[in-house]
Amino acid sequence: MKWLRLHPNADALSGYANRTLDDGDQRSVAEHLASCESCRDGVMILRTLMGSESYALPPRVLDKVLEARATGRRVILPVDDSADPRGLRLSLWTRSAIAAGSIAAALLFLLQPNQVTAGERTGLLRFDPPRPRVGATLTATYAPGALLNRYDSLTLRARLRRPTDPQYNWGPLQEVVAVLHRGAGGAFRATFHLPDSVVFAAFAVESPAGDIVDDNGGRLWEVVAYDQSGKPLFDGLAQKIGDLMGRNWEQTLITARQLTRSYPDEPEGWSLLVAHERWVLGDSTADALLPSHRRRFASFHNAFAEQGSLPLRTVAGMEDYAIQVDDHASARYWIDRRARDFPRDPDVLFRQENRLRNDSGWVVNPHRYFPIADSLWARMPPDAGETAIQLANNGLAAALQTGDTNALRVWSRRYEQVDRDKELAARYVGTSLAGFAPLRAEGLDALRRAIRLLSDAPDAYRPLGTTAHAHRAASAALEQRVLSDLAHALLLAGDTAAALDTLRVAAKKGWNSAVFRSIAEMWLANGDTVQAVQNLARVTADPIAATELPDSLRALEQRAPAGAWSQRVNAARSEMRTAVLAGTDPYLPAGAPRVQAQDGTLRSWADLTRGHVTVVAFWSRNCGYAVRDLPELARLTDRLRSIGVSLVTIADEPASDSLRAFLRGKHLQGLPAYGDVRGDARRAFANFATPQYYVLDPAGRVVFARSQLADVPLQAAALLPELP
Amino acid sequence: MDASPLTVPPGPSESDLIRDVATGSATAIAAMYRRHAAGIFRVASRLLGSASDAEDVVQDVFVGLPEAIRKFDGRGSFEGWLRRVAARTTLMRMRRERQRRQVALEPNADGVPAPGADNIARWDLERALRAVPARLRAVLVLRQLEGYSHREIGTMLGISSGASRVRFSRALQMLRRIWRTTT
C-alpha cells in the first residue's frame, strides 16, 4: 500500500491511529503523514477521541436504577436475536436462570398478589421458520414468564389474516391455533399449519382457562408470510398494517416504510405510507414530506399512465396515492380509469353509490337512489369484504333517512348479512327498526338475536390480549345495554310488564346506573314508590349519576325518610363496589414516567397519581376518535374532581405552543393536559393506541385498563375509600 | 416444574453474575453496573451529544437488563453483547430524538465537564464532535471508539457496509473541518 500521492482512506487512518495496520502499511501511512497536514490532523483527532476520559458517570445513577426496579419499572431493550435463524435457543444456565427467576417471581406473586407487573406475564415466543411461506408448518417455542410457568400446557391463540381482511380488529377474528406442551428444558412447544390463504398472523399465549394472557406487553407476536426469494409478501405487510391499526400506530408507520422498501414500485405502498405519516407524525411533518411524495407520484404517473394494461392493485394504488398527495387532476384520471378497466371492482361500485348523495351525505333523490343501490348491491362480488359492509351501511342509513319501510327491511337484512360483528349489527338493526311501528316486531327480534350472541360470548370475538373473564364481563356489560334497548322497545310497543321484567334481567348483569334509573322511573310511573326508592338508592350510589337525576326522582329522594334513605344508599354503595371491582387484577405501570405540563415543567408520576384515584386518558390530536372524546373529558374533569378523583390526559407529544393552540381552538384550556415527553408514559402502560382510558387506585395501581369512557366514572367511584 | 433451586453464588464470576442479574437481584445488578456502566455512558454520551440523555440510556439499560439478559445465549463475550445492546438502545433514542426534530442543545449546555488546563484540545474536539450530524457521528463513534466492523455498523443502523465506510470517511472529514474552524 502506497499513500505518497493518494490520501489514505479513513479506515487506514483509523488503523494507523490504533496501530492495527501491519508494519508495511504503518510505514506507508507514516510517510504520507510526514507531508500531509490534513491527514496528520485526522490521526490526531482519532487518537484524541480514543483517549478521552471526560465522560464521568454522574453520581446516583445506580440508585435510580435500583429504585426504578423496586417500583416495578421495566424497560424492553433492543436485544437482537431476530437474526438467529434457528429460533429460540436457551443455554442451560439461562434456562436455570429463567426457572429460578420464575420461582422467585411466582413466590412474590403468591405473597403479594396485588403487586403483579407486566414483566411477570411476559415470556418469549419464537417461530421456526421465522420467515415462513404461505401454507408453511410452524413450530412455536415459548419460554413463559412467571405467571404461566405453572401450567403443563398453554393455549396459542391467533388472529389469522387473509389478503381481503379489513383493517382494525373488530369482530370474530380470533381462534385457537395450537396447544403448547412443556418439553425438555422447560420451554413449551407446538407445531401447527398456517393455512394457504393466511398472509399475516398475530399471536398471544394464555393459560388453559384463558385467565392469564401473555400478549407480549400489548404488542402481540407477529408472523408475516414471505415469498420464495425471502421477501415479505405485499399482502402480508398490508394486512399487518391493518392489524396494527388502532393498537400500535407507530408500528403501522414502520411497517408502511418496510412495505415501500420491499416494493418501491408499488404506488399502493406509498399511498399507505403517506397516509400513516400524516396520522402518526402529524400535519407539519407530513406537509414537509409531501413534496418528495409529489415528485415520486409524478414519476409513477408518467410511467404508468401510458401503459395500456395495468393490474388492479397498481391502478387502485395510483388513485389512492393521487388523493393522498392532493393531485386532484390525476386522481380524476385514475378514478375514471379504474371505473373503465375494472367496472365490477367493489370500490368502483361503491363510488357510484356515493354519487347519489350530496356533500353532506344525504340522499338527494330517494326514488332514484334505491333502485340504483339495489342494482349495485346485486353486482357486488361475494368477496367484497369491507366495501360491501360500507354499501349496506349506506343503504340502511338512506332507508332510515327516508323512513321507507320496505327499504329498511331490505337493507337491514343486507347489513346484518355482511357485517362481521354480528352482535353489534343486530343491535344497530334492532334499535333502528324498533323506532318504526310497522317494523317493531322485527326490531325486537333483532335485539333478541344480539342478546343471544352476547350471552354466548363466543371466544372468536375475544381480543387476543383479553382474558376469558374480562371478555365475559365486557359481553355481559354490552348485553345489559342491549337488554335496556329491548326494554325501551317493549315500552314503545306498549308492553310495560315485559319491559320492566327485561330491565330487571338487565340489572342482574352488572352495576349500571342508567338501567337502575330506568327501572326506578318505570316503577314510579306505575305508582310503586317502594320499588322506585330501592332502585333510586342504587343510582345515587354512583356519585356522578346522582348529580343527573331528573326532577321526578329527586323529589322522590327528598320524600324518603332520612335514616332509612341513608342506610339504603350505603348498602347500595357497598354492593356497587363489590360488583364493579369483581375480577379486577390490579398491577403497577412499568415504571414511573415523567410527563410535561403545559407550562413546560416536568411532573413526576407520583405527584400526579399517588394518594387519590386517578383517571388516565391517552389521546392524540391526530386521532379523530380521541379528539371526539375530549369535550366529554373536559366535562368530566370537574365532576370527577368533586368526588376526589383527578384526571390526567396525556397527549402523544411534548407540550408545545402548537398543542396549546390546538386545545385553545377547541375551548379545552381547562383540560388537565400533559405531554408524553419521551414516550415514557406510553411505555409504562404498554399503550400504543388512542383513545385509551385507565383508572388507577390511590396506590397508583392500574385497576381498570383500556376502559370505555362511559364506564370510567363508575369505575373511579368504586375505588373511592369513602364516597363523599 | 422443571426448575433449578435458587442458590446464592459463591463468587462474583461473570456467569454467576449474569445468572443472578436474570433473577432481578439488586446486588447483582449493582455489581454489573460497576463493571460496565462507565463504558456505556461514555459511548452513549458521544453518540447522543448529551450527558443527561446518556444517563437515561444507562438507566434504561440496567433497568431492563434482568429481562434482556435471559436472551444472552452464552456464546461470545458478554461484554460485547452488552455493549451491542447499549449501542442499539442509544441508536433507538437517537432515532426518536430525530423524529421529534428536537433542537440540539448548545455545546456544553448539558453536563459535559469543562476542560482542565491539560485537556483543552480534547474538550474542543468533543464540542466539535457534537456538531457532526448524528447519522455521521454514530458511525464515527461505533467504528473508532467501539471497534465495530462496517458490516456490524451497517446491521445496527440499517445501512450497507459500503454506506458505513462512506459515512465514516465523511464524519472524519467534517470533524476535521469543524475542529479546524473552531480552534
Side-chain angles (χ1 to χ4, degrees):
Chain A
M1 188 159 39
K2 287 286 178 190
W3 301 110
L4 290 174
R5 290 195 187 87
L6 295 172
H7 292 289
N9 63 28
D11 279 314
L13 290 180
S14 169
Y16 180 84
N18 299 340
R19 296 186 177 85
T20 54
L21 297 178
D22 63 38
D23 288 346
D25 287 345
Q26 196 84 12
R27 268 197 307 278
S28 295
V29 174
E31 285 170 26
H32 175 86
L33 293 179
S35 60
C36 180
E37 187 182 4
S38 170
C39 288
R40 276 205 306 277
D41 281 350
V43 170
M44 187 277 292
I45 283 170
L46 292 169
R47 283 188 174 156
T48 307
L49 280 178
M50 289 164 61
S52 175
E53 295 296 332
S54 60
Y55 290 95
L57 189 59
R60 290 210 67 250
V61 178
L62 177 59
D63 292 349
K64 291 177 191 170
V65 168
L66 298 178
E67 194 179 321
R69 295 276 320 169
T71 57
R73 186 180 166 210
R74 298 292 181 267
V75 174
I76 298 164
L77 296 177
V79 179
D80 184 18
D81 45 9
S82 60
D84 184 350
R86 283 180 290 170
L88 182 72
R89 283 188 301 196
L90 300 175
S91 65
L92 182 61
W93 69 262
T94 309
R95 287 198 296 271
S96 302
I98 290 171
S102 300
I103 292 169
L107 282 171
L108 184 67
F109 174 72
L110 290 172
L111 292 170
Q112 296 179 302
N114 291 335
Q115 296 296 326
V116 174
T117 64
E120 288 160 5
R121 284 189 176 85
T122 306
L124 303 168
L125 178 63
R126 289 286 182 276
F127 294 98
D128 186 22
R131 296 180 167 194
R133 289 165 58 185
V134 289
T137 297
L138 285 178
T139 298
T141 306
Y142 178 70
L147 294 183
L148 285 172
N149 203 22
R150 64 182 85 161
Y151 298 95
D152 293 326
S153 67
L154 298 169
T155 305
L156 184 64
R157 291 180 84 235
R159 196 160 45 238
L160 305 176
R161 283 183 161 267
R162 282 87 181 166
T164 55
D165 276 340
Q167 295 167 336
Y168 292 96
N169 298 313
W170 300 314
L173 297 171
Q174 289 70 221
E175 59 188 279
V176 173
V177 291
V179 175
L180 297 153
H181 293 282
R182 193 187 286 279
F188 290 77
R189 282 189 187 80
T191 298
F192 63 98
H193 181 70
L194 204 60
D196 284 7
S197 53
V198 170
V199 293
F200 170 80
F203 297 88
V205 179
E206 63 182 36
S207 59
D211 54 342
I212 299 171
V213 176
D214 179 1
D215 63 352
N216 196 19
R219 289 165 300 180
L220 306 173
W221 286 277
E222 296 161 345
V223 166
V224 176
Y226 283 70
D227 66 14
Q228 284 178 314
S229 68
K231 193 161 75 165
L233 294 181
F234 185 94
D235 285 334
L237 292 175
Q239 281 300 317
K240 181 176 176 181
I241 290 171
D243 198 90
L244 287 163
M245 286 174 71
R247 69 177 175 90
N248 192 335
W249 286 105
E250 285 184 353
Q251 282 297 321
T252 62
L253 177 61
I254 290 167
T255 309
R257 285 181 177 140
Q258 188 187 358
L259 188 60
T260 55
R261 274 200 308 274
S262 301
Y263 296 89
D265 299 326
E266 285 285 357
E268 190 175 330
W270 291 101
S271 79
L272 279 169
L273 177 62
V274 70
H276 284 85
E277 283 170 346
R278 190 159 294 280
W279 293 338
V280 179
L281 302 176
D283 283 341
S284 57
T285 306
D287 288 344
L289 296 168
L290 205 50
S292 71
H293 282 297
R294 286 185 171 142
R295 282 194 296 276
R296 186 176 298 102
F297 173 78
S299 155
F300 280 155
H301 185 80
N302 291 337
F304 288 133
E306 292 184 357
Q307 293 183 31
S309 174
L310 288 170
L312 173 60
R313 189 163 80 193
T314 304
V315 176
M318 286 302 290
E319 176 191 319
D320 292 343
Y321 204 15
I323 292 168
Q324 292 292 346
V325 300
D326 292 333
D327 185 338
H328 300 294
S330 298
R332 186 74 263 157
Y333 169 85
W334 288 104
I335 288 169
D336 291 345
R337 180 161 175 178
R338 186 173 180 178
R340 189 183 69 230
D341 294 355
F342 304 97
R344 293 188 68 85
D345 173 49
D347 282 352
V348 170
L349 299 175
F350 186 54
R351 200 179 282 282
Q352 289 176 40
E353 188 273 348
N354 284 186
R355 290 201 193 106
L356 303 172
R357 297 166 174 276
N358 64 17
D359 289 344
S360 304
W362 290 96
V363 171
V364 180
N365 181 347
H367 298 297
R368 187 162 170 262
Y369 177 88
F370 289 113
I372 296 177
D374 284 343
S375 125
L376 293 172
W377 180 262
R379 288 154 61 196
M380 268 286 165
D383 61 349
E386 194 72 5
T387 313
I389 299 172
Q390 288 170 344
L391 180 60
N393 184 51
N394 279 8
L396 180 53
L400 285 167
Q401 178 203 327
T402 57
D404 181 330
T405 51
N406 185 49
L408 271 167
R409 192 171 278 127
V410 168
W411 284 99
S412 62
R413 195 175 59 242
R414 288 172 178 165
Y415 182 71
E416 264 200 84
Q417 177 195 330
V418 293
D419 192 356
R420 58 183 154 145
D421 197 332
K422 300 298 178 195
E423 303 162 336
L424 293 181
R427 183 190 187 192
Y428 177 47
V429 165
T431 50
S432 300
L433 298 189
F436 295 85
L439 300 173
R440 193 155 289 141
E442 287 160 78
L444 292 172
D445 282 348
L447 288 171
R448 290 186 183 111
R449 275 198 299 280
I451 290 164
R452 273 197 301 277
L453 268 171
L454 288 163
S455 176
D456 292 345
D459 205 50
Y461 283 83
R462 175 159 65 96
L464 292 177
T466 301
T467 64
H469 178 276
H471 178 60
R472 281 193 298 275
S475 294
L478 191 51
E479 185 188 351
Q480 186 182 50
R481 292 189 181 110
V482 185
L483 281 164
S484 183
D485 294 339
L486 178 63
H488 285 95
L490 287 165
L491 203 59
L492 280 175
D495 193 343
T496 309
L500 200 47
D501 282 346
T502 305
L503 278 177
R504 285 149 85 181
V505 172
K508 290 177 184 163
K509 294 286 174 187
W511 197 274
N512 186 319
S513 309
V515 168
F516 296 140
R517 180 175 141 172
S518 292
I519 297 174
E521 285 177 317
M522 224 173 271
W523 280 122
L524 190 61
N526 279 355
D528 189 333
T529 51
V530 175
Q531 295 276 12
V533 165
Q534 194 169 354
N535 282 283
L536 179 59
R538 287 174 165 172
V539 181
T540 311
D542 176 348
I544 299 291
T547 63
E548 298 168 337
L549 287 177
D551 289 344
S552 57
L553 291 181
R554 200 168 292 288
L556 183 66
E557 176 185 334
Q558 285 158 3
R559 286 211 308 271
W565 172 250
S566 169
Q567 265 186 354
R568 277 186 192 282
V569 172
N570 285 337
R573 282 175 179 165
S574 170
E575 198 185 336
M576 180 268 281
R577 275 197 210 103
T578 305
V580 176
L581 295 175
T584 54
D585 182 15
Y587 63 92
L588 285 166
R594 289 187 299 176
V595 290
Q596 192 179 27
Q598 287 305 301
D599 62 5
T601 56
L602 290 177
R603 299 287 304 277
S604 81
W605 196 243
D607 279 356
L608 288 172
T609 61
R610 290 297 162 95
H612 48 75
V613 176
T614 308
V615 174
V616 178
F618 285 90
W619 68 282
S620 164
R621 56 177 157 155
N622 298 310
C623 171
Y625 295 105
V627 172
R628 181 198 59 190
D629 281 0
L630 289 179
E632 178 58 22
L633 277 173
R635 275 193 293 276
L636 267 180
T637 306
D638 287 338
R639 292 155 74 191
L640 289 171
R641 193 179 293 136
S642 72
I643 60 169
V645 175
S646 65
L647 174 68
V648 174
T649 74
I650 300 175
D652 64 342
E653 58 184 310
S656 65
D657 288 342
S658 160
L659 183 60
R660 281 187 287 277
F662 174 84
L663 292 169
R664 264 199 315 277
K666 298 206 167 291
H667 308 291
L668 296 168
Q669 297 95 317
L671 194 70
Y674 295 88
D676 196 1
V677 189
R678 292 167 176 162
D680 287 355
R682 191 178 50 210
R683 282 200 300 277
F685 283 80
N687 186 82
F688 304 104
T690 60
Q692 294 283 18
Y693 303 100
Y694 298 80
V695 185
L696 279 56
D697 68 10
R701 298 177 306 176
V702 178
V703 183
F704 298 98
R706 303 181 180 97
S707 294
Q708 298 289 316
L709 180 56
D711 296 335
V712 158
L714 185 63
Q715 291 170 344
L719 291 170
L720 293 171
E722 288 295 333
L723 289 172
Chain B
M1 189 156 53
D2 182 14
S4 300
L6 188 63
T7 55
V8 178
S13 75
E14 188 161 79
S15 61
D16 288 342
L17 205 50
I18 291 168
R19 188 191 62 197
D20 290 349
V21 168
T23 68
S25 153
T27 311
I29 294 170
M32 194 66 89
Y33 176 93
R34 282 189 280 273
R35 284 189 189 187
H36 300 291
I40 292 171
F41 178 76
R42 190 195 65 194
V43 177
S45 297
R46 280 173 155 161
L47 283 170
L48 291 162
S50 154
S52 67
D53 283 348
E55 182 184 330
D56 286 348
V57 167
V58 173
Q59 270 194 62
D60 279 354
V61 166
F62 284 93
V63 170
L65 194 55
E67 286 74 32
I69 210 168
R70 298 171 193 177
K71 297 176 191 171
F72 174 59
D73 61 8
R75 292 174 304 168
S77 135
F78 171 72
E79 183 178 2
W81 177 86
L82 180 58
R83 288 172 88 99
R84 276 196 301 280
V85 171
R88 283 192 204 103
T89 307
T90 312
L91 291 170
M92 275 174 58
R93 190 176 195 91
M94 286 174 78
R95 286 189 200 108
R96 279 207 307 273
E97 297 303 312
R98 272 210 304 279
Q99 279 172 4
R100 291 209 179 82
R101 294 165 175 245
Q102 288 187 343
V103 178
L105 294 168
E106 283 296 308
N108 204 39
D110 198 24
V112 173
D118 59 344
N119 62 356
I120 286 178
R122 186 174 298 151
W123 187 67
D124 285 335
L125 191 57
E126 298 288 357
R127 289 177 60 194
L129 180 62
R130 276 184 283 153
V132 174
R135 67 194 191 97
L136 300 182
R137 187 171 69 231
V139 176
L140 183 65
V141 172
L142 292 172
R143 173 83 180 133
Q144 187 62 24
L145 303 180
E146 289 298 284
Y148 289 114
S149 69
H150 286 299
R151 190 162 148 250
E152 289 169 317
I153 294 169
T155 303
M156 275 193 250
L157 297 178
I159 58 176
S160 67
S161 56
S164 175
R165 276 197 187 81
V166 170
R167 287 190 190 184
F168 182 49
S169 177
R170 285 187 183 157
L172 185 57
Q173 280 173 21
M174 185 172 282
L175 184 57
R176 197 158 49 200
R177 197 165 57 243
I178 295 168
W179 185 70
R180 273 278 174 198
T181 54
T182 55
T183 55

